[in-house]
Amino acid sequence: MFVIIIGIILIILFFLWYMWFLQKRNAATLNKYKERTDELKKAQLDDKIKKLEDMKLSGASDDRFNQLKVEYHKQTDDIFSDILRQIRAAEYKNTEFKVFGSANDLKKLNNEMNDFESKIGEVSQGFDELLASNELNATHSEELQHQYQTLRKQVLTQSFSYGPATDKLEDELLEIANLLDKEKQLTQKGDHIEASQCLDDVKIKLGLITDQLKIIEPLFHDLNEVFPGQIDEIKFVYQKLAQQHFKFSDDIVQLISDVQHEVDESNIKLGELNFDAVNTNNEDIKQRIDDLYETLTLEIDGKRDVLKEQKPVLDYLNHAVYQHNHLDKRIQKLQESYILADKTLDTFQNNFDTLNEIRRKYDADVQSIADRLVIFSEVKTDFKEIVKQLDDIEASEKTINDDLNQMLSSEQIARNSVDDYAKRLEIQKKMMEQLRLNGLPDDYLDYFYMVYDEINKLYDELDADQINMEDISKQVIVTQEDLENLIEKSKKLKYNVQLAEKLLQYANRYANKNPEFTDQLVRARALFDDDYNYNDAVDVISKALEEVESGSVDRIKETINS
């Protein structure tokens, strides 16, 4: 119980101490606020108001001054008085130990005093700006007046650099002059804010004109000096060429007129300060002038090249005709003894037609030169095309001549090949005769006589009145393949005959020992002697021998291979 009482006493003592502490802190804060109010009283703006009233402001400046003055009186008469009243109320509460209420009031007071200081600061700044506006405007006006005079002098003395844009530039300068006059009038009336706005407008317009001059000068330089000089030069050159009877695929006079019209249009657009349109037009004018220069140069160079190439092209054409005729005589002579390929004859005929067309085109161009009706660039193109066509014909007819040489060479090769085939066939025949057989298999004989007929047919075709070497060359290849197959068949047949003979001879030792073997031996001999089926004879007797004596067939085969 005693401990509880002690605890309660301590709590009461702590609370009383805390209340005393808050009262002291509130009192310190109140002292600071009083010092702040004393400082705020010293910061009165009455002197600034008096100076501004002496300036006899008008217009927007006077409106601004009245607005600031109303706000100032509102703050000093109402808000500041209320702040003093609240300080006294908070102080009373604090002395009455209403420390928490006093603390809350002091927090509100702090915000209101801060707001008051901010408002008074804004009003003071506004007054300062109004006081400084007259002096600032005067300095600014003097600078801008100097810039205006310099710019005006530049436009007037260098108007030759700006051409049709000069009038618009002078109009813009007149607007600036009017703004400067208006600024003076407003300043004299005391409307410094409106005067300042005029000066801002002047600064913007001066900057705009300065930028325009940088754009106008190069554009007008092209329109006034570059393009006219180039157009005059083109006119002069064209007149000289026309006197020399040059012809053009385009209407040069109209093209020059179109360029001049576009130059005039650009000048009009420049007078309107439509820089985008002028820039676009100028780029198009440059391209048109370049095209005209190129057109004139094309014809000048064309005439030089045409006159230089006229005889070489004719010589090349005559040479091609001569070569064609020479090849024609050879073809006609070869056609008496040979059948030439349709493709070769078609190509040769196409070359003949092309040469006639080239001759017609060349003669027409030469006649147009003589009649002074020629467009040299077109004739130059014709000559290039003629040379290309003659190159193609020369290459084509060289191929034809090489093919004819190859054909004649192929004939001799074919004759040699056929003679060789006949000899090799005769060797196969003698090889079969040396075997002294009662007969040969039908399939072998059929293949042998097929090759024999192919060789005889080749002899007949090579001895024909008109030789078709294309067909003969193909048949030579076929016959060669068939002969190679026949040689393989002959080798195989000879091998089977020799093997069968040895196998049958070896099989005699078992002829009377085994009835079944004897039957197979008789069958194998019949296949060999009567049917001429030497392959089956080998199969039958080999199988029978392997049954009575394994390995005997391989031993006999080795004697043949060796």
Side-chain angles (χ1 to χ4, degrees):
M1 185 66 180
F2 179 74
V3 174
I4 294 173
I5 292 172
I6 293 300
I8 292 172
I9 291 170
L10 290 174
I11 290 171
I12 291 172
L13 290 174
F14 176 79
F15 178 74
L16 291 173
W17 173 86
Y18 182 69
M19 291 291 287
W20 174 82
F21 172 77
L22 286 180
Q23 186 185 43
K24 291 295 183 182
R25 190 177 70 175
N26 288 344
T29 302
L30 282 166
N31 289 331
K32 290 180 182 179
Y33 284 0
K34 288 178 182 179
E35 291 175 0
R36 285 181 67 183
T37 56
D38 291 340
E39 291 296 325
L40 290 173
K41 285 179 182 180
K42 295 177 183 179
Q44 297 298 315
L45 305 178
D46 294 337
D47 290 342
K48 293 182 180 180
I49 292 173
K50 181 64 172 62
K51 289 179 181 179
L52 289 169
E53 287 175 341
D54 292 341
M55 288 174 64
K56 297 181 180 180
L57 301 174
S58 66
S61 296
D62 188 50
D63 292 340
R64 175 63 173 161
F65 172 62
N66 290 328
Q67 179 185 0
L68 292 171
K69 189 164 61 172
V70 168
E71 179 65 24
Y72 172 70
H73 287 304
K74 177 184 176 182
Q75 294 295 325
T76 55
D77 297 342
D78 298 334
I79 304 300
F80 189 71
S81 298
D82 187 58
I83 289 172
L84 294 175
R85 182 187 58 79
Q86 292 184 56
I87 289 174
R88 289 193 296 270
E91 187 177 22
Y92 176 75
K93 287 182 180 179
N94 198 49
T95 56
E96 293 293 321
F97 258 86
K98 298 177 181 179
V99 291
F100 294 108
S102 178
N104 289 332
D105 290 346
L106 290 175
K107 288 180 181 179
K108 293 178 182 178
L109 269 169
N110 184 56
N111 293 332
E112 290 183 13
M113 291 179 72
N114 288 338
D115 187 56
F116 175 80
E117 285 180 324
S118 175
K119 293 291 185 182
I120 290 298
E122 292 176 3
V123 171
S124 179
Q125 184 179 354
F127 286 160
D128 289 339
E129 289 174 355
L130 286 172
L131 288 168
S133 61
N134 186 30
E135 183 178 351
L136 289 173
N137 284 355
T139 303
H140 198 191
S141 176
E142 184 178 352
E143 292 175 356
L144 294 176
Q145 184 73 34
H146 176 71
Q147 291 179 26
Y148 162 73
Q149 292 297 339
T150 302
L151 197 59
R152 183 171 180 274
K153 181 180 179 181
Q154 180 181 346
V155 172
L156 293 177
T157 58
Q158 300 180 29
S159 59
F160 57 86
S161 298
Y162 312 125
T166 303
D167 291 342
K168 276 283 187 180
L169 292 172
E170 289 179 352
D171 290 343
E172 291 181 347
L173 287 169
L174 182 59
E175 290 181 12
I176 293 175
N178 292 334
L179 284 171
L180 289 170
D181 290 341
K182 184 179 178 181
E183 183 270 334
K184 289 180 180 179
Q185 295 171 5
L186 291 170
T187 299
Q188 291 172 357
K189 292 179 180 179
D191 192 351
H192 303 290
I193 291 179
E194 285 297 325
S196 177
Q197 183 60 52
C198 287
L199 293 177
D200 290 341
D201 292 342
V202 168
K203 182 178 180 181
I204 292 171
K205 289 183 178 293
L206 286 172
L208 176 62
I209 294 176
T210 302
D211 292 339
Q212 288 174 337
L213 294 180
K214 294 177 183 178
I215 298 172
I216 293 168
E217 192 164 356
L219 292 176
F220 184 64
H221 174 72
D222 285 343
L223 292 171
N224 188 51
E225 296 182 29
V226 178
F227 296 156
Q230 292 174 332
I231 292 172
D232 289 341
E233 183 180 23
I234 289 170
K235 286 180 180 178
F236 176 78
V237 173
Y238 172 69
Q239 289 170 358
K240 290 291 184 183
L241 294 178
Q243 291 171 4
Q244 297 174 31
H245 305 286
F246 275 80
K247 303 296 178 185
F248 300 86
S249 56
D250 298 318
D251 187 344
I252 303 299
V253 174
Q254 183 60 50
L255 291 175
I256 293 173
S257 176
D258 292 343
V259 173
Q260 186 60 59
H261 175 73
E262 197 161 7
V263 170
D264 296 340
E265 184 179 333
S266 274
N267 275 309
I268 292 172
K269 296 295 184 184
L270 187 61
E272 298 169 354
L273 303 185
N274 188 347
F275 302 129
D276 288 340
V278 175
N279 189 62
T280 301
N281 276 11
N282 282 12
E283 289 300 319
D284 188 56
I285 291 168
K286 289 177 184 177
Q287 186 59 54
R288 286 173 179 263
I289 288 175
D290 287 345
D291 291 343
L292 280 167
Y293 273 122
E294 185 177 353
T295 299
L296 297 178
T297 303
L298 190 66
E299 295 308 320
I300 294 171
D301 293 345
K303 180 178 181 179
R304 181 196 62 217
D305 294 340
V306 165
L307 296 180
K308 179 182 176 182
E309 294 297 325
Q310 183 174 340
K311 187 175 185 306
V313 172
L314 177 61
D315 292 342
Y316 193 11
L317 175 56
N318 290 335
H319 172 74
V321 171
Y322 172 80
Q323 291 291 97
H324 179 83
N325 292 337
H326 181 71
L327 183 60
D328 184 35
K329 290 178 182 178
R330 187 183 186 197
I331 287 174
Q332 290 181 19
K333 184 176 181 180
L334 288 174
Q335 280 183 310
E336 295 174 1
S337 302
Y338 297 91
I339 296 175
L340 303 183
D342 291 339
K343 181 180 178 182
T344 298
L345 297 177
D346 290 344
T347 300
F348 187 73
Q349 181 60 42
N350 289 337
N351 290 344
F352 175 75
D353 295 338
T354 302
L355 284 171
N356 287 336
E357 177 60 26
I358 289 173
R359 172 69 71 179
R360 184 199 63 75
K361 184 190 296 184
Y362 178 83
D363 290 344
D365 286 341
V366 171
Q367 186 61 47
S368 67
I369 294 172
D371 295 339
R372 294 181 173 180
L373 300 173
V374 63
I375 298 175
F376 284 106
S377 61
E378 294 180 357
V379 175
K380 180 179 178 180
T381 301
D382 286 349
F383 281 5
K384 284 185 177 180
E385 180 61 24
I386 286 172
V387 170
K388 180 181 181 301
Q389 288 177 306
L390 293 176
D391 287 342
D392 292 342
I393 289 173
E394 185 175 48
S396 169
E397 297 198 341
K398 181 180 183 305
T399 300
I400 291 174
N401 193 60
D402 291 344
D403 290 344
L404 295 177
N405 292 335
Q406 181 64 37
M407 179 188 72
L408 295 177
S409 176
S410 297
E411 179 191 3
Q412 188 58 49
I413 293 172
R415 289 185 183 277
N416 293 338
S417 297
V418 174
D419 288 343
D420 180 62
Y421 297 163
K423 291 178 182 178
R424 294 173 68 185
L425 183 64
E426 183 65 23
I427 291 172
Q428 303 308 308
K429 179 182 176 184
K430 289 181 179 180
M431 185 175 69
M432 291 299 106
E433 290 174 351
Q434 290 172 357
L435 295 176
R436 300 181 181 279
L437 299 172
N438 295 331
L440 294 170
D442 291 339
D443 60 342
Y444 177 83
L445 289 173
D446 290 342
Y447 205 90
F448 180 90
Y449 284 115
M450 180 190 75
V451 175
Y452 176 81
D453 291 341
E454 287 176 354
I455 293 172
N456 286 333
K457 182 181 177 183
L458 283 170
Y459 274 124
D460 292 340
E461 290 181 356
L462 286 168
D463 292 335
D465 293 336
Q466 277 191 311
I467 300 174
N468 190 334
M469 279 309 303
E470 187 175 0
D471 289 346
I472 289 173
S473 296
K474 293 177 183 177
Q475 187 58 40
V476 166
I477 295 172
V478 172
T479 302
Q480 181 181 13
E481 292 177 354
D482 291 342
L483 180 60
E484 295 295 338
N485 290 335
L486 177 64
I487 292 171
E488 288 299 319
K489 289 179 180 291
S490 297
K491 289 181 180 179
K492 185 176 180 181
L493 177 59
K494 180 181 178 181
Y495 175 80
N496 284 335
V497 168
Q498 292 176 339
L499 180 59
E501 287 177 340
K502 289 198 173 188
L503 289 174
L504 290 171
Q505 184 179 2
Y506 188 80
N508 286 331
R509 67 181 64 189
Y510 297 107
N512 299 320
K513 295 180 180 180
N514 187 330
E516 291 182 3
F517 181 83
T518 302
D519 291 341
Q520 294 300 316
L521 178 59
V522 171
R523 182 185 170 202
R525 286 188 180 280
L527 288 169
F528 187 93
D529 295 331
D530 302 329
D531 297 337
Y532 319 131
N533 192 339
Y534 307 111
N535 184 54
D536 287 351
V538 168
D539 290 341
V540 171
I541 195 62
S542 294
K543 185 177 179 181
L545 275 172
E546 282 299 310
E547 289 179 357
V548 297
E549 185 182 345
S550 178
S552 58
V553 175
D554 289 337
R555 290 198 307 274
I556 294 171
K557 284 181 180 180
E558 289 176 359
T559 63
I560 295 175
N561 290 334
S562 62

